[in-house]
């Protein structure tokens, strides 16, 4: 690698040549660009408008000069700012969750209060008011998404998972996406659609983290330079990981579940230092949400009820279980795996059809589609309860805290919907005419035997499952956590009713089986295990059910994996996000690196290139990385490093590095640029060659690329197993790997003891090196 001394550019390049070999078929003998049969990875995936991230530190001269200029106080300031940002991410995500929950609960409360008051006088007027209320909320959501923040559609988890896997989808972390996600979620969830706000909260937390990391939004003049220290994709990745965990912690009041969700489901890179910050962020979220709940309990939150911040406490439910119950519980796992796999497949087909035919027709069609689904959902939820007869209120314990029927506009178990008598309730309306959080609480509730009939649960299961499949993929923010829990708890309670009827044991609770059904469907659809298990325990506040939850999750995931992949993986593939799985495919073990790139071509640039040649290469190719070659002592072409497309665009736009001479420049060029000049804002398209205008005289000048290239990218021999290349690529978060012939000489050999350098007790520097790549190992002279 390059030396950190004052030897200048030529000597540094000379050291780099020692570690490099010739290209196998290089024809870069002239001054212009050349191509080779050797290949290096990442391109711009134009079909999906995604681009790989640079998790590798580009250790060029601008980077090294900036490191040398930093004072001894910079490292403590850097570490302190990381923890400060973890605090701010937790507070920001918690406040966003509070705002969304209060808005949804109050809109729902106003809607149900007005509807129940009107239907006492006129059923059709009540239906009209209910439908118009839902339609207005859904229209506001889809209008915001289609006209202001298109990247806010959907849950956002596949895109965030791709970002943490090394793929950036344009627009997913912008300020407008954050605004669209928050207000769009309020409209879509408050409008009664069969979707949830939990997935969008994960995306919201990621947006807040990214905006904090880049110092705000320059587009809307909401930025500050004093916090603009996390400029690398590697640092932003850590912040976004904290944001994802904060989103889950805020959505479910499950801080430990949030940490495990980030570890298991979304991130591909994990360290102990990051674990501490993620845990701290989730703890901050829990404190903020808990404080808000205490404030709302004083009655200052309007219609906000017990369901606003999810926690379905069933600690007073079933205390124990027998071995006889394990079989029906395993059956719940099988049902969850089958229905979850079917859900994934149906949503994949419908979303593919929607993207191929429907959404290509413009914004009006997307708006019309969402409004039509809103009308259908409102009609079904208003008409179906009429098909069920009202039931008399059961005899309830005086200290149970359950009221029958419950007052309109509040959460409760028993809903009086168009019943002829006051002490009657409609079991189907009890599910439909509640927010999803309250409806789930009703299904989970203990000591409420015979509250629901089997016919009502089957009717609701069929209709809600169908609505969830059709609604998923519309142009509104949509999460699938809570709809999945709704579906699973419905068939779980059905199995619980069967067990209660045929086992005839007093200690069996239908609500316990509803909980297991919810876990089984999420396991069969999303294929999460550890994090989902902890989340379900945290939100139900019942640790005794942990073994049962583990059982149904293992069964449902095994059954679902037999048919297809998880929901987020399927949707990521549909969106063209190239996720790398944790393990390479078996066929890769029988392939080598050369086999993977034998049909590709890499465009190379000479060290000193003409500006017109660089412009021509950028216009005719979409590659994001270009090997740079130079002539050796014997006239042979040697690879001296890699330069990124984004760096070339910065140099062309600045024009200060153009020179008349076709010979290498001196070290004085280093003072013209800072490392921050080459930073691309998160989720932006960055600069384009079409935005750069050069005169004829400027096109005839030259540009020395040596000070700006990465002199030490990762290289592999051409006969290395493709499985090993895959593991190297994914575990290090790389963007490019060079494939070269076998090197002819060995400069040095590094062993474990060579890496155990003294750190003088400076733990802050140790963390800094692990996150920002400041460690430099010199092996010259070995």
């Amino acid at each position: 690698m390059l030396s950190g001394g004052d030897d200048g550019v030529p000597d540094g390049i000379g050291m780099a040549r020692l570690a490099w070999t010739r290209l196998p078929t290089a024809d870069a003998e002239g001054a212009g660009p050349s191509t080779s049969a050797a290949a290096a990875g990442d391109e711009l995936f134009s079909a999906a408008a995604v681009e790989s991230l640079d998790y590798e530190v580009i250790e060029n001269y601008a980077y090294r000069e900036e490191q040398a200029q930093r004072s001894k106080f910079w490292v403590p300031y850097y570490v302190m700012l990381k923890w400060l940002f973890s605090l701010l991410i937790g507070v920001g995500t918690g406040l966003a969750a509070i705002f969304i929950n209060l808005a949804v609960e109050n809109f729902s409360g106003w809607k149900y209060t007005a509807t129940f008051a009107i239907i006492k006088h006129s059923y059709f007027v009540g239906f009209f008011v209910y439908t118009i209320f839902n339609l207005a909320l859904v229209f506001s959501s889809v209008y915001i998404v289609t006209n202001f923040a298109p990247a806010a559609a959907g849950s956002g988890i596949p895109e965030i998972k791709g970002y943490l896997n090394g793929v950036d989808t344009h627009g997913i972390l912008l300020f407008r996406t954050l605004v669209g996600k928050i207000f769009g979620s309020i409209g879509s969830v408050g409008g009664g659609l069969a979707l949830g706000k939990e997935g969008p909260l994960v995306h919201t937390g990621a947006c807040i983290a990214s905006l904090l990391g880049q110092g705000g939004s320059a587009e809307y003049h909401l930025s500050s330079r004093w916090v603009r220290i996390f400029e690398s994709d590697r640092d932003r990745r850590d912040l976004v990981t904290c944001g994802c965990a904060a989103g889950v912690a805020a959505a479910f009041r499950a801080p430990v579940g949030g940490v495990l969700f980030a570890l298991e489901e979304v991130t591909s890179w994990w360290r102990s230092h990051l674990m501490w910050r993620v845990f701290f962020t989730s703890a901050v979220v829990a404190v903020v949400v808990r404080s808000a709940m205490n404030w709302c309990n004083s009655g200052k939150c309007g219609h906000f009820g017990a369901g606003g911040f999810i926690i379905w406490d069933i600690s007073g439910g079933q205390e124990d279980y027998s071995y006889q119950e394990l079989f029906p519980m395993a059956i719940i796992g099988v049902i969850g795996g089958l229905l979850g796999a079917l859900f994934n497949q149906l949503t994949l087909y419908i979303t593919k059809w929607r993207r191929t035919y429907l959404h290509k027709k413009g914004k009006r069609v997307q708006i019309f589609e969402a409004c039509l689904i809103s009308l259908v959902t409102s009609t079904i939820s208003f008409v179906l309860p009429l098909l069920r007869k009202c039931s008399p209120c059961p005899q309830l314990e005086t200290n149970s805290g359950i009221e029958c029927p419950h007052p309109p506009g509040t959460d409760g178990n028993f809903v009086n919907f168009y019943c002829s008598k006051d002490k009657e309730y409609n079991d189907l309306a009890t599910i439909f005419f509640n927010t999803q959080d309250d409806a789930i609480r009703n299904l989970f509730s203990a000591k409420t035997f015979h509250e629901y009939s089997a016919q009502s649960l089957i009717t609701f299961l069929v209709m809600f499952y169908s609505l969830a499949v059709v609604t998923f993929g519309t142009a509104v923010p949509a999460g699938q956590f809570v709809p999945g829990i709704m579906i699973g708890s419905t068939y779980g309670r059905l199995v619980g009713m069967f067990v209660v009827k045929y086992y005839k044991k007093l200690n069996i609770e239908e609500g316990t089986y509803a909980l297991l059904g919810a876990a089984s469907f999420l396991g069969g659809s999303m294929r999460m295990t550890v994090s989902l298990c902890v989340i379900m325990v945290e939100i139900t506040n019942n640790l005794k059910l942990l073994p049962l939850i583990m059982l149904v999750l293992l069964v449902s995931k095994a059954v679902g994996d037999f048919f297809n992949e998880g929901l987020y993986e399927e949707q990521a593939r549909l969106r063209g996000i190239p996720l790398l799985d944790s393990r390479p495919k078996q066929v890769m073990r029988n392939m080598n690196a050369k086999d993977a790139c034998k049909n590709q071509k890499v465009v190379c640039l000479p060290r000193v290139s003409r500006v017109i040649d660089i412009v021509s290469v950028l216009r005719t190719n979409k590659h994001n990385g270009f090997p740079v070659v130079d002539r050796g002592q014997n006239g042979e072409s040697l690879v001296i490093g890699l330069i990124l497309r984004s760096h070339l665009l910065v140099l062309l736009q600045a024009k200060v590095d153009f020179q008349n001479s076709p010979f290498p420049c001196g070290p004085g060029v280093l003072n013209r640029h800072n490392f921050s000049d080459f930073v691309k804002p998160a989720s932006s398209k960055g600069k384009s060659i079409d935005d750069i205008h050069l005169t004829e005289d400027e096109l005839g000048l030259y540009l020395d690329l040596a000070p700006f290239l990465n002199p030490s990218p990762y290289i592999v021999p051409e006969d290395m197993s493709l499985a090993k290349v895959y593991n190297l690529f994914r575990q290090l978060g790389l963007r490019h790997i060079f494939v070269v012939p076998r090197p002819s000489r060995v400069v040095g050999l590094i062993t474990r003891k060579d890496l155990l350098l003294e750190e003088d007790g400076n733990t802050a520097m140790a963390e800094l090196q692990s996150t920002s790549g400041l460690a430099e190992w010199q092996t010259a002279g070995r």
Side-chain angles (χ1 to χ4, degrees):
M1 294 188 181
L2 291 182
S3 170
D6 297 325
D7 296 330
V9 177
D11 290 342
I13 296 300
M15 289 187 63
R17 285 174 178 163
L18 295 177
W20 289 86
T21 185
R22 294 179 299 172
L23 287 173
T25 55
D27 45 18
E29 301 297 326
S34 62
T35 60
S36 166
D42 163 78
E43 311 301 337
L44 182 69
F45 300 93
S46 57
V50 299
E51 184 179 352
S52 292
L53 295 166
D54 293 303
Y55 287 155
E56 181 186 3
V57 176
I58 308 299
E59 294 178 328
N60 55 23
Y61 278 98
Y63 172 82
R64 293 176 180 274
E65 187 176 70
E66 184 170 304
Q67 298 299 314
Q69 293 176 352
R70 287 173 175 170
S71 68
K72 62 180 180 180
F73 300 106
W74 187 86
V75 173
Y77 172 69
Y78 175 86
V79 176
M80 179 196 68
L81 208 57
K82 275 192 170 183
W83 287 97
L84 175 61
F85 274 33
S86 299
L87 172 66
L88 295 178
I89 291 169
V91 173
T93 307
L95 293 177
I98 292 167
F99 176 73
I100 292 174
N101 278 285
L102 290 181
V104 169
E105 289 286 319
N106 278 282
F107 278 127
S108 300
W110 296 330
K111 174 177 64 179
Y112 293 135
T113 301
T115 301
F116 281 105
I118 294 174
I119 61 175
K120 293 180 179 179
H121 306 284
S122 173
Y123 175 83
F124 292 102
V125 175
F127 170 70
F128 178 78
V129 171
Y130 178 80
T131 303
I132 292 299
F133 208 109
N134 284 337
L135 187 62
L137 288 173
V138 172
F139 176 80
S140 67
S141 176
V142 69
Y143 186 84
I144 289 173
V145 169
T146 55
N147 290 276
F148 181 69
S155 70
I157 293 181
E159 290 82 359
I160 298 302
K161 185 172 183 177
Y163 184 89
L164 297 177
N165 195 260
V167 182
D168 186 14
T169 305
H170 296 156
I172 62 169
L173 297 175
L174 300 180
F175 178 73
R176 65 170 64 187
T177 304
L178 172 63
V179 175
K181 209 74 178 183
I182 292 175
F183 289 96
S185 298
I186 294 173
S188 59
V189 178
L193 294 180
L195 42 82
K197 56 184 178 295
E198 289 67 33
L201 267 176
V202 176
H203 194 176
T204 299
C207 289
I208 292 173
S210 177
L211 290 170
L212 284 173
Q214 62 187 20
S217 173
E219 181 181 359
Y220 298 97
H221 307 288
L222 300 172
S223 61
S224 175
R225 289 200 61 85
W226 74 274
V227 295
R228 201 174 301 168
I229 191 174
F230 303 110
E231 295 179 324
S232 69
D233 289 333
R234 179 175 297 197
D235 288 329
R236 291 172 181 169
R237 172 185 62 188
D238 291 351
L239 293 176
V240 171
T241 302
C242 293
C244 290
V248 175
F252 295 105
R253 280 182 57 200
V256 179
V259 176
L260 294 176
F261 175 83
L263 171 61
E264 177 186 8
E265 187 63 21
V266 292
T267 188
S268 303
W269 179 269
W270 200 258
R271 306 182 301 284
S272 58
H273 295 300
L274 180 59
M275 170 78 82
W276 277 107
R277 287 195 295 273
V278 171
F279 185 77
F280 173 70
T281 304
S282 299
V284 171
V285 172
V287 172
V288 172
V289 173
R290 183 66 186 179
S291 301
M293 289 191 64
N294 293 334
W295 181 65
C296 288
N297 287 336
S298 62
K300 299 178 181 179
C301 298
H303 282 274
F304 179 82
F309 296 109
I310 297 177
I311 183 164
W312 303 305
D313 192 342
I314 58 172
S315 56
Q318 186 169 331
E319 295 291 337
D320 198 5
Y321 54 91
S322 63
Y323 290 104
Q324 294 176 322
E325 295 180 68
L326 294 181
F327 178 72
M329 291 174 181
I331 294 297
I332 289 179
V334 174
I335 296 174
L338 294 174
L339 291 181
L342 178 62
F343 182 87
N344 293 357
Q345 204 63 34
L346 291 176
T347 53
L348 181 65
Y349 289 148
I350 294 178
T351 305
K352 185 181 298 184
W353 173 83
R354 183 181 277 130
R355 291 167 63 90
T356 303
Y357 300 103
L358 200 61
H359 287 179
K360 286 186 176 180
K361 297 181 180 180
K363 300 177 182 178
R364 293 184 177 180
V365 173
Q366 298 180 33
I367 295 175
F368 176 79
E369 178 200 20
C371 292
L372 179 62
I373 292 176
S374 174
L375 289 174
V376 172
T377 303
S378 300
T379 302
I380 289 175
S381 60
F382 214 92
V383 173
L384 281 184
L386 293 179
L387 304 180
R388 296 293 306 163
K389 294 182 179 179
C390 292
S391 305
C393 289
Q395 296 294 327
L396 300 172
E397 298 178 7
T398 56
N399 58 351
S400 64
I402 301 176
E403 184 178 356
C404 181
H406 75 80
T410 61
D411 63 292
N413 279 76
F414 303 95
V415 173
N416 186 319
F417 180 77
Y418 217 61
C419 296
S420 57
K421 299 180 181 179
D422 293 336
K423 286 297 182 179
E424 289 184 339
Y425 76 99
N426 188 308
D427 59 346
L428 194 55
T430 300
I431 310 178
F432 273 119
F433 281 90
N434 264 310
T435 62
Q436 292 182 14
D437 299 344
D438 294 331
I440 293 170
R441 183 176 291 101
N442 296 343
L443 291 169
F444 281 3
S445 60
K447 297 179 175 54
T448 53
F449 294 106
H450 312 300
E451 177 181 354
Y452 303 100
S453 64
Q455 295 87 342
S456 295
L457 291 179
I458 293 174
T459 301
F460 177 78
L461 175 62
V462 173
M463 297 311 303
F464 193 83
Y465 189 94
S466 303
L467 288 174
V469 169
V470 174
T471 306
F472 187 85
T474 53
V476 294
Q480 286 304 309
F481 274 101
V482 169
I485 294 175
M486 286 278 288
I487 295 170
S489 59
T490 304
Y491 68 74
R493 186 142 186 143
L494 278 169
V495 175
M497 293 170 62
F498 170 83
V499 174
V500 169
K501 181 177 180 180
Y502 288 95
Y503 279 55
K504 298 180 180 179
K505 292 187 177 181
L506 298 178
N507 65 330
I508 297 178
E509 288 286 352
E510 298 173 1
T512 300
Y513 285 82
L515 166 67
L516 298 179
S520 71
F521 185 83
L522 292 180
S525 176
M526 300 179 183
R527 312 294 159 79
M528 297 186 297
T529 52
V530 179
S531 59
L532 182 58
C533 185
V534 174
I535 289 173
M536 296 303 293
V537 170
E538 287 188 278
I539 61 182
T540 56
N541 198 25
N542 194 333
L543 191 60
K544 296 179 180 178
L545 300 179
L546 179 61
L548 304 181
I549 297 175
M550 295 172 65
L551 171 66
V552 297
L553 281 176
L554 290 173
V555 173
S556 63
K557 185 180 187 304
V559 173
D561 285 339
F562 182 80
F563 294 98
N564 50 33
E565 291 185 302
L567 177 67
Y568 299 137
E569 288 77 12
E570 295 276 7
Q571 293 298 319
R573 182 176 292 105
L574 181 62
R575 288 167 168 79
I577 301 174
L579 294 179
L580 294 180
D581 296 330
S582 58
R583 294 182 299 176
K585 298 184 182 300
Q586 184 64 32
V587 68
M588 291 184 177
R589 304 191 183 278
N590 301 321
M591 301 175 61
N592 55 35
K594 188 176 181 179
D595 295 334
C597 58
K598 60 184 179 181
N599 295 325
Q600 302 177 10
K601 283 190 176 182
V602 167
V603 179
C604 298
L605 292 171
R607 170 180 172 172
V608 181
S609 301
R610 295 181 64 194
V611 174
I612 190 173
D613 293 333
I614 298 175
V615 173
S616 176
V617 166
L618 295 179
R619 288 190 183 277
T620 56
N621 295 275
K622 293 184 177 180
H623 306 320
N624 283 307
F626 302 93
V628 179
V629 297
D630 197 9
R631 290 178 181 252
Q633 295 179 352
N634 299 326
E636 58 183 356
S637 295
L638 296 177
V639 181
I640 61 173
L642 172 76
I643 191 164
L644 297 177
R645 180 188 190 92
S646 58
H647 290 191
L648 288 174
L649 292 173
V650 171
L651 297 175
L652 291 177
Q653 189 175 55
K655 304 179 183 179
V656 296
D657 301 291
F658 294 170
Q659 61 185 43
N660 294 314
S661 171
F663 301 103
C665 64
V669 70
L670 305 182
N671 298 324
R672 298 175 183 171
H673 292 280
N674 295 321
F675 184 72
S676 58
D677 296 339
F678 300 99
V679 174
K680 182 177 77 74
S683 295
S684 70
K685 295 182 179 180
K687 296 181 176 63
S688 171
I689 186 62
D690 297 326
D691 300 329
I692 298 175
H693 305 284
L694 301 170
T695 64
E696 291 293 333
D697 294 337
E698 292 170 338
L699 290 173
L701 298 177
Y702 294 87
L703 181 60
D704 186 1
L705 304 178
F708 314 104
L709 55 80
N710 181 6
S712 53
Y714 287 87
I715 61 173
V716 297
E718 59 184 349
D719 57 350
M720 177 183 281
S721 165
L722 189 58
K724 293 180 67 175
V725 176
Y726 184 98
N727 290 329
L728 180 69
F729 202 98
R730 187 182 188 276
Q731 292 173 9
L732 296 181
L734 302 181
R735 186 175 187 179
H736 303 90
I737 289 183
F738 280 3
V739 179
V740 299
R742 276 286 177 183
S744 59
R745 57 180 297 196
V746 177
V747 177
L749 184 67
I750 295 180
T751 62
R752 181 182 296 268
K753 63 182 178 62
D754 297 310
L755 302 178
L756 299 176
L757 302 183
E758 295 294 332
E759 298 173 359
D760 299 328
N762 192 344
T763 56
M765 177 61 75
E767 177 181 359
L768 184 65
Q769 290 175 345
S770 68
T771 56
S772 291
L774 295 183
E776 302 171 11
W777 317 111
Q778 298 183 3
T779 60
R782 285 296 185 101

